[in-house]
Amino acid sequence: MATHRRTRKPSELKPLKLNLSKVFNAEHMQRLNSIALLRRHWHDIVGSMLAERCEPVAMEPQADESLGLLIAVNHPVIASHIRLLHEEIRKACFKRCKLQGLSKVWTRVQADAGIREEKKVRIRNDIHCQDLRLLAQSLQDVKDKPLRRLMFQAGAAQLRYSKEV
């Protein structure tokens, strides 16, 4: 007698935002989205020097229905600098992220604070075999084999990362 295995109904993919909205209320989700947007534009808001030493941590509702921004800094001197620039930071947050109702900016010292800028990846060009063959022919007079190998690798890297396409 053949046994019939039960198969489950294939699941349908649902957006993650729907499941998170069950856990968090709409206001909290809006604050999380605001923090994500601030983090994305943080280098433009405060500049690269400050961005590597501080980062936005939380948006807190205030008693007067406005929002407060908590910024983690890695040194007390940076905290005093943020306090001096709090009005410019508020304006830049509005200009860059359309963040309305931000009235207070305060800091917290945290040792590992800061958003490091991503290093730009160099564009690699395709190297044709003919180019490598010409490079090898130009180096055939070099008798020292390790030196010739290093010169070939350096020449290939110049071809790969040259600005000309």
Side-chain angles (χ1 to χ4, degrees):
M1 183 182 255
T3 61
H4 180 63
R5 257 179 100 180
R6 256 196 213 182
T7 58
R8 70 176 178 87
K9 180 182 161 190
S11 61
E12 296 178 15
L13 296 176
K14 296 177 185 171
L16 185 60
K17 190 174 185 178
L18 290 178
N19 293 329
L20 285 177
S21 64
K22 292 177 184 176
V23 177
F24 302 117
N25 60 13
E27 181 183 331
H28 192 72
M29 283 295 292
Q30 181 63 32
R31 284 190 308 220
L32 287 176
N33 287 337
S34 298
I35 285 292
L37 189 62
L38 275 177
R39 289 183 66 83
R40 198 171 316 133
H41 296 287
W42 194 240
H43 281 272
D44 298 328
I45 292 171
V46 296
S48 60
M49 190 281 295
L50 273 178
E52 290 182 3
R53 292 164 176 80
C54 66
E55 63 183 283
V57 176
M59 301 284 289
E60 299 291 332
Q62 302 298 306
D64 60 349
E65 301 294 323
S66 62
L67 291 174
L69 175 63
L70 175 62
I71 300 174
V73 297
N74 65 0
H75 197 275
V77 172
I78 302 297
S80 65
H81 197 68
I82 293 290
R83 281 192 292 274
L84 289 173
L85 296 174
H86 77 279
E87 191 61 33
E88 286 81 7
I89 291 173
R90 278 184 351 91
K91 289 177 183 176
C93 288
F94 176 73
K95 184 179 178 184
R96 275 284 182 192
C97 305
K98 304 298 184 227
L99 189 62
Q100 296 178 346
L102 187 64
S103 65
K104 185 178 177 185
V105 176
W106 72 95
T107 59
R108 173 181 74 195
V109 177
Q110 181 178 321
D112 60 344
I115 300 174
R116 293 352 174 239
E117 195 167 16
E118 296 177 10
K119 293 183 178 178
K120 296 179 181 175
V121 179
R122 295 174 68 185
I123 298 173
R124 293 177 54 157
N125 299 326
D126 293 332
I127 302 175
H128 300 289
C129 288
Q130 182 64 27
D131 295 334
L132 292 176
R133 193 172 294 127
L134 289 172
L135 178 62
Q137 286 175 354
S138 68
L139 297 174
Q140 69 184 3
D141 293 338
V142 178
K143 300 298 181 197
D144 188 12
K145 190 173 182 178
L147 177 62
R148 184 173 60 232
R149 182 178 295 130
L150 289 173
M151 289 173 69
F152 180 80
Q153 289 172 351
Q158 282 180 341
L159 289 173
R160 183 171 288 126
Y161 295 108
S162 67
K163 301 244 182 202
E164 299 174 14
V165 178

